[in-house]
Amino acid sequence: MSTAERGKGSRSGLRRTLMTSELLDTATRLFAEKGYEATSLLDIANALNISRPALYHYVSKKDDLLAMLVEQVTNGFAEVLAQLKARDDLTPPEKIADVVGLMVRQRAVHSDQFRILDRSEPILPEPLATEHLAAKRKILRELTALVEAGIETGEFRPVDARTTALSLLGMCNWVAWWFRSGSDVEPVVATITGLAAAMLAAGDHTGRGRQDAKTIGEIRALLDRLEG
């Protein structure tokens, strides 16, 4: 393959990736507004300002969109988490901070995608439902293993690793419901990664109540600004 052909293929792949991202964002926004059953492929094509035949280059039925959501939201994150866990240049606290930051940003920036996938779990067709469940279980296993690694090195205090992993997932996932679109996500990332670090930190916790109260006050102030 020539350099020109490789360049053309790379540009084509990039355009498809960007179109897929725009397609998912548009479709999930319409699903959130009208409901999954009430939204047609024609509605999605019109919102994207393309013809229905052009849309068929990417999806042929609405179930394909659910499959794309599972691939991007669940499978994609499971793979990223597995790769992060395997890195030996990062400490367990650094890995947890990266994981939490990634989850918060994804849930905030693409909140419709996460909410629609979460609500669609009961109607996912097979084998997509099984694939989605397997990826969710993998995410929990990998995150639990990260917590266990920090406990073993003494960087995290002794906790039940699985319960802690579920708590971290719940804290991050909930962002998709309360984050206001258009707000600055980075203060939210900083606050939640700070909370994750505080709940896991090893060492003497005497006197931490005052700092914890300050952190809770900061969260309340942040939520007040977002709601305002």
Side-chain angles (χ1 to χ4, degrees):
M1 182 183 291
S2 68
T3 301
E5 288 172 329
R6 286 195 298 270
K8 183 178 179 180
S10 176
R11 289 192 296 273
S12 176
L14 178 59
R15 284 196 298 272
R16 185 172 184 86
T17 299
L18 292 174
M19 181 58 187
T20 298
S21 179
E22 183 180 1
L23 170 58
L24 276 178
D25 282 338
T26 300
T28 50
R29 175 176 56 79
L30 290 175
F31 292 159
E33 292 173 357
K34 302 178 61 174
Y36 177 79
E37 296 297 338
T39 303
S40 67
L41 288 181
L42 180 58
D43 292 330
I44 296 169
N46 289 339
L48 288 167
N49 198 29
I50 62 175
S51 66
R52 188 159 57 179
L55 182 63
Y56 287 157
H57 285 293
Y58 302 93
V59 293
S60 60
K61 56 186 183 300
K62 284 194 294 182
D63 283 357
D64 292 344
L65 291 164
L66 294 179
M68 291 166 68
L69 281 175
V70 169
E71 179 62 30
Q72 180 157 314
V73 177
T74 317
N75 288 345
F77 186 70
E79 182 61 30
V80 167
L81 189 51
Q83 293 174 1
L84 185 64
K85 177 181 166 233
R87 291 182 58 177
D88 56 11
D89 60 323
L90 296 175
T91 65
E94 289 171 335
K95 291 178 181 180
I96 290 292
D98 283 352
V99 168
V100 169
L102 284 170
M103 279 198 290
V104 171
R105 289 186 182 92
Q106 198 281 334
R107 280 24 171 186
V109 177
H110 301 288
S111 58
D112 282 342
Q113 291 185 14
F114 183 82
R115 291 200 305 268
I116 291 299
L117 181 56
D118 185 69
R119 291 169 178 167
S120 300
E121 285 186 351
I123 63 170
L124 289 177
E126 291 293 352
L128 191 58
T130 298
E131 179 185 342
H132 177 57
L133 180 60
K136 287 179 64 176
R137 287 173 173 170
K138 181 178 180 181
I139 289 170
L140 179 57
R141 285 197 307 270
E142 299 289 3
L143 190 53
T144 300
L146 285 182
V147 176
E148 290 172 341
I151 295 171
E152 290 174 4
T153 61
E155 293 166 283
F156 295 158
R157 62 193 180 91
V159 291
D160 182 87
R162 186 175 185 275
T163 300
T164 302
L166 287 167
S167 299
L168 290 170
L169 287 169
M171 181 167 59
C172 295
N173 289 344
W174 193 243
V175 171
W177 272 267
W178 61 258
F179 184 78
R180 178 169 293 180
S181 178
S183 302
D184 185 2
V185 70
E186 292 310 311
V188 179
V189 171
T191 297
I192 296 181
T193 53
L195 287 170
M199 70 185 282
L200 286 166
D204 183 9
H205 292 266
T206 303
R208 291 187 61 88
R210 190 176 304 170
Q211 180 61 39
D212 290 344
K214 179 181 178 183
T215 302
I216 292 171
E218 291 172 348
I219 295 172
R220 287 174 177 161
L222 174 62
L223 290 174
D224 287 343
R225 289 199 299 273
L226 290 174
E227 292 174 355

